[in-house]
Amino acid sequence: MRVPLEWLREMIDVEETPEELAELLTGVGLEVDAVERVAPEAGGVVAGRVLAVEPHPDAARLWVCRVDAGSRAGTVTIVTGAPNVRAGMAVAVALPGAVLPGGVRVEARDLRGVTSTGMICSLHELGLGDQPADREGIADLEEVLPGDVPAPGTDLAGLLGWGEPVLVLSLTPNLAAHCQSILGVARELAAVTGRPLRVPGGGKTAGAGEASGPAAPGPAGDGSGPGGPSAGDAASRVRVVIEEPEGCALYVARVLEDVRPGGSPLWLRRRLVAAGMRPIDRIVDVTNYVMLELGQPLHAFDLDAVREHTVVVRAAREGERLVTLDGRERRLAAGDLVIADPERALGLAGVMGGENSEISASTRAVLLESAWFDPRRVRVTARRHGLRTEAALRFEKGVDPAGVRAAADRAMELLAAVGAGRPVAGGAEAVAREFQPRRLPWRPERIRQWLGAELDDDTIAGLLARLGFSVDRGAGTVTVPSFRTDIEGEVDLAEEVGRLYGYNRIPAVLPPGRPAGDEVSPLLRLTWRVREFLAEAGLQEVVSWAFTRPEVWDALRLPPDHPWRRAIPLLHPLTEEHSLLRTTLLPGLLDVLAFNARRQQSGALVYDVSAVFRPGELPLRELPEEPVMIGLAGYGVVGPLHWAEGPLPVDFFTLKGVVEELLARLGIPGDRCRWERAAEPWLHPGRAARLWVGDTEVGWLGELHPDVAEAWDAGSRVVAAELDLRALAAHARLVPSYRPVPRFPAVRRDIAVLAPEGLPAAAIEERIRAEAGELLEDVRLFDLYRGDPVPPGQVSLAFALTYRAADRTLTDEEVDALHARVRDALASMGLTPRS
């Protein structure tokens, strides 16, 4: 939020420098990100008066003007193409050497044979508007400065607001509710300094030490001239009906007739620009001005476009359509809160108006809206339609219900002041429910306990009073001001006292009591262990998008009923590439590999440990499951981890080895794990496996199908795996168990067999363990061979068997007998021993 100091000074005396003020406000929680200046580079523009205008002798659309620039430059010749230039016009003149907002430098230049000594500026060039009328013609100072035109030669930097300091605030959620306005910031400054607060326009809202302040700069109507209220009563011309009392508690309507379109005066433009908003026209500018000044959003309707002059606040009908002011047709949902007339919707309440009732050049009467809308309803509607307007941001935080009428009155006062039309006396209102002040218990001892500071009761009550709270010690209550919609409990009172007293004044003392225990969940601790091991194993961690795109399912060759296809679509995706919540980590990992392959990287081996999103049904009726998955993927050749090692090819067995070592690190015994042949559509036939731990399937591993690898263009031999972390957690033992160092030696024997290609090595290993019994300490496949002299359709598998007894040294006879049983058992499986 941007706070121009000139505007702030209108409400409270500011004695500090901008930098000192920034430090003061930051100390009470209103963090000031920066102190900026309006157009700090601009200068060299003076007031002038056009003495004569003649056609350019060599250009049909140019005019040669003689301009009185006062004592700064005397009478100068300036060539312009502005269609509205005329003799006697008061203008802003940029002399040679002048710099305009944005850094544009003005120099004398030859235009078709005539030297132009400077430039007559438009409002756009002065940084005060970008509407077509602001760009096409030069600024008429008598229009934007009625009755206060400076003499020729007067430097206009001060009048244009150039160089004025602006505080850029970064509001935290707890302060955004009441500080999203100049008045809110002034209240905070008044509480800190104890200086009196002047409320704009003389309106009175809840708060301590507030006095009525001056009206905004510019001429104000006195009730008898063109700016004064007209005869009649707005209540007799407009009717308001609230059909949705839960969404709208209070609706105030005011009427402006004899509307005169046109641009806003200079003071109004200058303040809007300094606050970060674009001037548009008198009526819209006033509504924006009041929103920035008081924090209450307003909206103006063309009264003649409101059928029967009746405003209805209701819920939208399912499928109802509305074209909003941004030109987009929106399909409304039943939960949307809308402003309507008896026949149609006119706008999204608290978010954005509709084109069917917007102000135009033909508007003759305006209906001004000021209302209190339910924050939750506004937030839901705004997010459903992807609209983040300034009005919605304020309504979402909660506006001051006591300020609704004051804002409407202030707007009518300013509309009359800028000559936008004639206010109709009175107004139409509808009240669905009255706002009762929130009262909290007065228990200063609790505030002292929470803060850890010994403040007496008078000090606490005084600090709360400076912030607008009313303390009734007799009744034992604290009444919360209406503009503090963020205050809900006693602990909030302690926070208010603490920030105004000064957190830096509270002694730093450790609270008594025992330290909190370790609250890290077992699953999170397991996640850390997995990441730590994979990094040690030489894999690179990546963090892929949590979103994916519909095209990946076909690229992965998934059948129509595959559960991965049941992905949650985003309501408002940033791009089609990120339109679905992912159900697997695989597409994101393949995107990373493809990114590296396109940049001529010889290989990569990466991992990602993240959640996926798997709904029970679509459309969503309950929150989806969010299992954490371990995703691994790689291709090509990766560099050695040590100078004595060679490059490592990334293939099926490399990834399988990483997974098996990971299981060992997690304390999952190898004899509880088994691999089974898999037939997943995205994996290569015959190079795919599923991993089981006990009776639980925990994941898959394999080489990608060639069509899938080609779809990602990530190389010809891409391998990947995905494991369910929660399934592994049920079997993991992160705390190692003690096993005594063996006292007796082990005996190793190898055995090699010829096995059919289709027989899993795990089945052979399982038979070996069953026959060898408890004396078999370990069995490991250490060689696989195909080719001559192994017959076609068979493969040679060699296993290393380690025998050991815990209470004695095994004899050769014992080992030979066990080994013979194993050989016989393998032969009974139809396997041919080779050793």
Side-chain angles (χ1 to χ4, degrees):
M1 177 180 170
R2 297 173 61 86
V3 180
L5 255 63
E6 178 219 11
W7 202 346
L8 186 64
R9 290 190 184 100
E10 189 176 279
M11 303 183 195
I12 188 171
D13 295 330
V14 178
E15 302 171 0
E16 297 79 10
T17 66
E19 291 70 24
E20 291 170 343
L21 182 59
E23 185 175 353
L24 186 65
L25 291 175
T26 300
V28 293
L30 270 71
E31 182 181 357
V32 179
D33 277 349
V35 178
E36 298 181 355
R37 305 273 171 171
V38 178
E41 74 287 353
V45 177
V46 301
R49 190 167 290 276
V50 179
L51 301 177
V53 178
E54 298 177 356
H56 192 289
D58 196 27
R61 296 186 179 182
L62 296 180
W63 302 91
V64 180
C65 307
R66 287 191 303 112
V67 182
D68 178 8
S71 59
R72 293 285 297 270
T75 300
V76 296
T77 299
I78 297 178
V79 178
T80 180
N84 65 328
V85 65
R86 67 182 188 280
M89 192 175 186
V91 294
V93 180
L95 298 173
V99 178
L100 300 178
V104 178
R105 180 173 291 276
V106 177
E107 302 290 352
R109 55 184 297 196
D110 183 89
L111 292 174
R112 306 287 289 271
V114 178
T115 300
S116 181
T117 313
M119 182 172 72
I120 305 176
C121 301
S122 68
L123 287 169
H124 174 70
E125 291 159 341
L126 296 173
L128 295 173
D130 60 359
Q131 298 300 304
D134 302 330
R135 294 172 175 269
E136 295 167 0
I138 58 177
D140 187 344
L141 296 186
E142 290 179 331
E143 287 185 3
V144 296
L145 288 168
D148 193 23
V149 177
T154 303
D155 192 321
L156 293 180
L159 281 171
L160 297 173
W162 293 347
E164 280 292 327
V166 177
L167 303 181
V168 182
L169 304 185
S170 177
L171 296 177
T172 55
N174 63 316
L175 295 177
H178 71 284
C179 289
Q180 288 193 123
S181 66
I182 308 298
L183 177 60
V185 177
R187 281 195 182 108
E188 290 292 305
L189 186 57
V192 175
T193 62
R195 299 168 195 158
L197 177 69
R198 298 181 290 271
V199 178
K204 184 68 174 168
T205 59
E210 300 181 1
S212 61
D222 60 3
S224 58
S230 68
D233 186 354
S236 63
R237 301 183 55 178
V238 176
R239 181 169 171 260
V240 178
V241 178
I242 299 178
E243 294 183 355
E244 193 76 6
E246 294 180 355
C248 177
L250 172 62
Y251 193 100
V252 174
R254 300 282 192 267
V255 174
L256 185 76
E257 62 181 15
D258 297 336
V259 171
R260 293 183 288 279
S264 297
L266 181 62
W267 67 265
L268 181 51
R269 291 174 178 268
R270 185 182 68 208
R271 287 190 173 177
L272 290 178
V273 169
M277 300 200 79
R278 297 180 300 113
I280 297 176
D281 61 49
R282 294 173 182 173
I283 296 173
V284 175
D285 290 353
V286 165
T287 60
N288 287 335
Y289 183 93
V290 173
M291 178 182 67
L292 293 172
E293 183 179 64
L294 303 181
Q296 171 65 45
L298 306 171
H299 185 69
F301 299 90
D302 186 330
L303 180 60
D304 293 330
V306 180
R307 308 285 169 81
E308 302 178 26
H309 290 187
T310 298
V311 174
V312 182
V313 185
R314 60 171 172 82
R317 304 180 184 97
E318 186 66 40
E320 190 173 8
R321 297 188 180 273
L322 171 69
V323 179
T324 47
L325 289 174
D326 57 1
R328 290 185 55 184
E329 183 180 65
R330 302 183 183 275
R331 187 177 184 274
L332 307 184
D336 294 336
L337 189 67
V338 298
I339 307 300
D341 59 24
E343 300 178 14
R344 56 188 179 158
L346 303 176
L348 293 171
V351 181
M352 184 178 285
E355 275 191 354
N356 54 10
S357 59
E358 72 173 317
I359 305 299
S360 66
S362 61
T363 299
R364 294 293 173 262
V366 167
L367 185 151
L368 183 74
E369 166 195 282
S370 181
W372 187 95
F373 297 119
D374 178 67
R376 186 190 64 82
R377 293 289 292 273
V378 173
R379 180 167 53 251
V380 169
T381 299
R383 291 186 178 181
R384 180 181 291 122
H385 295 282
L387 291 169
R388 303 296 292 164
T389 62
E390 290 289 334
L393 290 174
R394 285 166 172 80
F395 278 121
E396 287 178 12
K397 302 297 183 184
V399 300
D400 179 8
V404 173
R405 296 181 180 89
D409 294 338
R410 175 65 166 160
M412 299 308 288
E413 172 192 353
L414 292 177
L415 288 169
V418 301
R422 188 189 304 275
V424 176
E429 297 184 4
V431 180
R433 70 177 187 271
E434 296 288 346
F435 288 91
Q436 300 299 324
R438 180 180 289 121
R439 291 183 173 85
L440 300 174
W442 164 247
R443 291 187 282 197
E445 66 280 358
R446 282 201 168 190
I447 294 177
R448 283 189 285 269
Q449 180 182 2
W450 279 321
L451 291 179
E454 290 302 320
L455 304 177
D456 58 52
D457 293 3
D458 291 339
T459 300
I460 295 175
L463 292 171
L464 289 173
R466 284 162 59 182
L467 288 165
F469 295 83
S470 177
V471 179
D472 187 339
R473 301 193 195 187
T477 60
V478 179
T479 302
V480 180
S482 61
F483 56 83
R484 293 305 304 269
T485 57
D486 58 307
I487 302 297
E488 296 181 349
E490 288 180 83
V491 70
D492 296 322
L493 298 180
E495 181 183 4
E496 293 300 299
V497 171
R499 70 184 186 88
L500 192 57
Y501 176 72
Y503 291 127
N504 58 327
R505 299 172 62 188
I506 298 175
V509 179
L510 288 175
R514 296 168 56 188
D518 185 359
E519 296 181 0
V520 177
S521 70
L523 190 63
L524 181 57
R525 192 173 297 280
L526 184 66
T527 302
W528 293 346
R529 183 71 61 89
V530 169
R531 286 195 172 112
E532 180 181 353
F533 163 73
L534 293 176
E536 291 175 357
L539 283 74
Q540 301 290 325
E541 183 174 12
V542 299
V543 180
S544 56
W545 289 100
F547 313 114
T548 190
R549 52 197 180 278
E551 296 81 16
V552 300
W553 311 135
D554 290 335
L556 290 173
R557 307 176 69 248
L558 299 184
D561 59 345
H562 196 279
W564 283 1
R565 285 185 177 268
R566 194 165 61 244
I568 302 170
L570 298 186
L571 189 60
H572 300 292
L574 295 177
T575 66
E576 187 65 22
E577 291 282 304
H578 299 151
S579 60
L580 301 174
L581 283 177
R582 65 187 176 194
T583 53
T584 172
L585 299 179
L586 182 58
L589 292 171
L590 295 182
D591 289 343
V592 172
L593 297 187
F595 183 87
N596 282 270
R598 288 194 296 269
R599 284 154 181 80
Q600 290 77 49
Q601 297 300 306
S602 61
L605 188 54
V606 299
Y607 73 93
D608 187 4
V609 183
S610 299
V612 297
F613 306 89
R614 293 174 178 171
E617 59 179 332
L618 290 176
L620 281 178
R621 297 185 182 276
E622 57 184 21
L623 292 177
E625 292 291 325
E626 298 184 31
V628 177
M629 308 299 289
I630 306 169
L632 312 171
Y635 76 97
V637 176
V638 295
L641 295 179
H642 189 268
W643 63 269
E645 297 176 350
L648 175 68
V650 180
D651 56 19
F652 178 94
F653 295 104
T654 302
L655 206 60
K656 181 172 178 286
V658 171
V659 171
E660 289 177 337
E661 183 61 24
L662 171 63
L663 297 175
R665 288 289 190 95
L666 298 181
I668 302 176
D671 58 0
R672 300 201 61 203
C673 305
R674 72 179 189 277
W675 296 94
E676 292 186 355
R677 185 181 299 273
E680 304 295 355
W682 63 91
L683 295 178
H684 191 295
R687 300 174 189 170
R690 286 204 162 271
L691 175 61
W692 292 75
V693 177
D695 296 329
T696 306
E697 182 181 331
V698 298
W700 56 266
L701 181 149
E703 183 179 313
L704 288 191
H705 192 285
D707 293 345
V708 176
E710 182 181 0
W712 262 271
D713 194 20
S716 59
R717 300 288 294 272
V718 180
V719 291
E722 190 172 51
L723 310 176
D724 188 330
L725 186 66
R726 191 176 295 276
L728 291 176
H731 303 275
R733 298 294 180 267
L734 297 186
V735 179
S737 58
Y738 173 73
R739 185 172 60 184
V741 177
R743 296 176 56 196
F744 301 97
V747 179
R748 169 173 164 166
R749 298 288 176 88
D750 296 342
I751 187 168
V753 295
L754 294 178
E757 282 276 7
L759 182 64
I764 302 174
E765 180 180 327
E766 185 177 353
R767 185 64 182 269
I768 292 173
R769 289 184 182 277
E771 288 299 327
E774 295 182 354
L775 293 180
L776 181 67
E777 183 178 79
D778 185 44
V779 58
R780 179 172 57 88
L781 175 69
F782 70 89
D783 184 61
L784 180 151
Y785 176 74
R786 295 182 181 88
D788 190 56
V790 176
Q794 291 194 321
V795 60
S796 173
L797 302 175
F799 296 86
L801 284 68
T802 302
Y803 299 97
R804 191 197 307 266
D807 57 350
R808 68 189 186 280
T809 299
L810 293 175
T811 64
D812 287 342
E813 290 77 11
E814 289 179 291
V815 176
D816 289 344
L818 281 174
H819 207 59
R821 283 170 50 190
V822 170
R823 291 171 60 87
D824 293 343
L826 297 184
S828 69
M829 293 177 64
L831 307 180
T832 304
R834 296 191 65 205
S835 59

